[in-house]
Amino acid sequence: TTCIARDPTDTAAELIEALIDKGQGESGAILTTGHVHGGKTRRVFGDELLGDIVDEDSFLCFSPAEDGWIAPLGEDISPRSQPKPQARGVTMQGGECKYGASKIKGTYHKDPSSFSEETEIALRYFPAMGARNFSRPLVGVESQHGMMPDDANKKSEGKVNQDRGCYCYPFCGSDRCAFFGCFDGHGAEGHLVSEFVIGIVTQLLEEKLMGGAAPEDALKSTFMEVEERLVAVRSIDSTTSGCTAVGVLIRDNDVWTANVGDSRAVIGEEGGEGGRLLAVALTEDQKPNSPAENRRIRDMGGYVSPETRHESSRVFVEKDGEGGLALARAIGDTVVGAVGVISEPVVTHHVLKPDDKVILIGSDGIWEYIENQEAVELASQNASASRAASALKEEATARWKREGLYRDDITIGVVYPPLW
């Protein structure tokens, strides 16, 4: 986003020249204008006066010309004369987005928000809009508390939400760096653990990165130091309580993902059949029966129960012990930490490409009944990240309800790259 002062009698050509001098604009782009409250957008011609086209309700932005072609001055390539590409499964009716039937059985769309397509386009090109955070079309976060069954009355009651989700931007003093995280607490004091973790993880990571640490090293040492500090807090019992952690660090076009537990990060990229997105997992669930995790736990004297149709594999201090943790890595849970449950994250690196259209970061309340591929397809049907987050939360809620009275906490973050 660029702030620039110009005289109302200046021409659009003079504005374009000034913007290019400031490093704005791209090859194959044209200057367009429209109203933030809706309506059509159009090409701005070089001889137009700024005073005639700009007011408090309008915006100017560089837009890509189809096939890299730029029309000569005076030739109109507005939506009135050129076909406008439509989002998949979305049509425009009366200036509002209308969504068609979902590709996913059982999915439904709620009425769109007050955003019009033109408003979302404006925010897409100007993500900050003068604020120090991301706009709703670019980043959406939703969280929903779970439900505990009351078998006697055959109903459910709300439980404490032990999930936490966050994003931090700007990060490391840079407008081209951001951190996103999801932390799923478990155990009697899981909500206190996840609250503690979210309160210090970004600060520790930022300090290490700005101190010169490589991203992979910084993420690993941050997660492990967070656990060390957690254990030292006497007001939180982390012996049998803990949390998962998935952190996504984006710097320019590089994405580093650190994962502990079974929360996930997934990218949706173009290339699927019929224009559908393809899901690319940035993380793998760290279950006790995964070969490498199982070997470490057994080597340290722990017992891993076999997975059954009705029970996931769990880690126990001894074979006939009580409780058990259904994760091979976690922050906290120091009792099973003594037998190989570790807080060191698995870190992966991904370079964003133009065909990477969505990043999803969520707790297992999302992934229990929604596969990665389904999730990215559902997200792609929404014009903004905030709508996509809401749709995924609602779909996960509906699927848990069909399975019974219990529902896990649900948290989902949706990012629509590019962010800058």
Side-chain angles (χ1 to χ4, degrees):
T1 303
T2 296
C3 295
I4 187 170
R6 303 297 298 182
D7 193 280
T9 60
D10 286 352
T11 65
E14 292 172 319
L15 172 63
I16 292 172
E17 183 178 354
L19 288 171
I20 291 175
D21 287 341
K22 286 182 171 288
Q24 299 296 308
E26 298 177 359
S27 175
I30 59 173
L31 192 66
T32 59
T33 185
H35 284 274
V36 296
H37 300 299
K40 294 182 177 180
T41 57
R42 69 172 181 85
R43 160 81 181 275
V44 175
F45 305 126
D47 56 357
E48 290 187 81
L49 298 180
L50 296 182
D52 295 333
I53 59 176
V54 177
D55 58 39
E56 61 184 9
D57 293 322
S58 65
F59 66 87
L60 290 168
C61 71
F62 281 108
S63 301
E66 291 188 8
D67 299 326
W69 175 76
I70 300 179
L73 291 179
E75 183 174 344
D76 185 7
I77 62 165
S78 71
R80 292 185 295 275
S81 59
Q82 295 288 329
K84 186 174 184 178
Q86 294 290 334
R88 290 186 298 274
V90 183
T91 59
M92 292 298 295
Q93 297 179 20
E96 295 184 348
C97 295
K98 299 295 183 182
Y99 294 87
S102 171
K103 301 171 186 174
I104 307 169
K105 183 177 180 181
T107 299
Y108 54 92
H109 294 295
K110 290 198 168 184
D111 292 336
S113 70
S114 59
F115 278 112
S116 68
E117 187 180 61
E118 281 71 21
T119 305
E120 290 181 349
I121 289 174
L123 291 170
R124 192 75 166 83
Y125 279 93
F126 296 95
M129 292 296 280
R132 301 296 278 177
N133 52 31
F134 292 117
S135 63
R136 287 175 58 184
L138 290 182
V139 174
V141 180
E142 291 279 349
S143 190
Q144 173 72 49
H145 68 78
M147 302 292 288
M148 291 296 293
D150 179 357
D151 294 329
N153 297 311
K154 296 182 179 180
K155 65 179 183 179
S156 297
E157 296 180 351
K159 61 184 286 291
V160 173
N161 190 348
Q162 296 185 311
D163 283 2
R164 298 293 184 272
C166 74
Y167 76 82
C168 186
Y169 173 81
F171 200 56
C172 295
S174 173
D175 288 332
R176 295 179 64 86
C177 186
F179 176 81
F180 303 86
C182 180
F183 311 91
D184 179 0
H186 53 258
E189 299 192 10
H191 56 295
L192 299 178
V193 173
S194 57
E195 183 73 18
F196 175 84
V197 171
I198 201 175
I200 68 168
V201 66
T202 56
Q203 177 186 346
L204 289 178
L205 178 60
E206 193 169 40
E207 289 175 356
K208 295 177 187 297
L209 290 170
M210 295 187 75
E216 180 174 353
D217 295 336
L219 285 162
K220 285 185 176 182
S221 61
T222 293
F223 278 36
M224 291 187 288
E225 184 175 341
V226 165
E227 182 179 67
E228 291 175 1
R229 295 198 182 194
L230 170 67
V231 173
V233 177
R234 295 185 177 181
S235 60
I236 302 175
D237 181 3
S238 57
T239 56
T240 56
S241 295
C243 76
T244 70
V246 58
V248 176
L249 173 67
I250 304 179
R251 178 190 286 173
D252 294 323
N253 290 325
D254 290 294
V255 180
W256 290 271
T257 306
N259 184 48
V260 169
D262 60 0
S263 294
R264 293 183 195 171
V266 180
I267 277 186
E269 64 176 26
E270 290 182 332
E273 182 179 351
R276 298 161 83 167
L277 295 186
L278 293 174
V280 178
L282 297 178
T283 62
E284 291 186 8
D285 295 351
Q286 294 153 355
K287 299 294 188 181
N289 57 351
S290 300
E293 309 288 349
N294 186 295
R295 188 179 308 112
R296 183 188 66 251
I297 293 166
R298 288 189 290 107
D299 288 347
M300 294 187 66
Y303 172 74
V304 177
S305 65
E307 184 175 6
T308 68
R309 289 181 58 187
H310 303 291
E311 185 67 35
S312 59
S313 176
R314 291 179 176 270
V315 181
F316 295 85
V317 174
E318 52 189 22
K319 184 174 181 179
D320 297 324
E322 297 182 354
L325 182 66
L327 301 169
R329 303 190 189 211
I331 294 177
D333 298 290
T334 57
V335 166
V336 285
V339 292
V341 175
I342 60 177
S343 60
E344 179 180 350
V346 174
V347 179
T348 61
H349 177 242
H350 177 87
V351 178
L352 287 174
K353 308 178 297 296
D355 57 357
D356 291 332
K357 299 303 180 184
V358 62
I359 302 173
L360 305 179
I361 306 144
S363 66
D364 69 334
I366 287 286
W367 310 113
E368 184 71 20
Y369 297 113
I370 301 179
E371 298 293 334
N372 293 357
Q373 183 61 35
E374 289 183 298
V376 298
E377 286 190 42
L378 175 54
S380 73
Q381 297 172 13
N382 293 270
S384 70
S386 59
R387 293 187 195 179
S390 179
L392 282 164
K393 182 198 72 174
E394 296 290 348
E395 178 62 16
T397 300
R399 294 194 183 190
W400 277 99
K401 187 174 182 179
R402 289 200 295 267
E403 293 296 321
L405 295 177
Y406 175 77
R407 184 182 75 217
D408 201 357
D409 302 325
I410 297 168
T411 298
I412 181 68
V414 180
V415 181
Y416 278 4
L419 294 174
W420 29 74

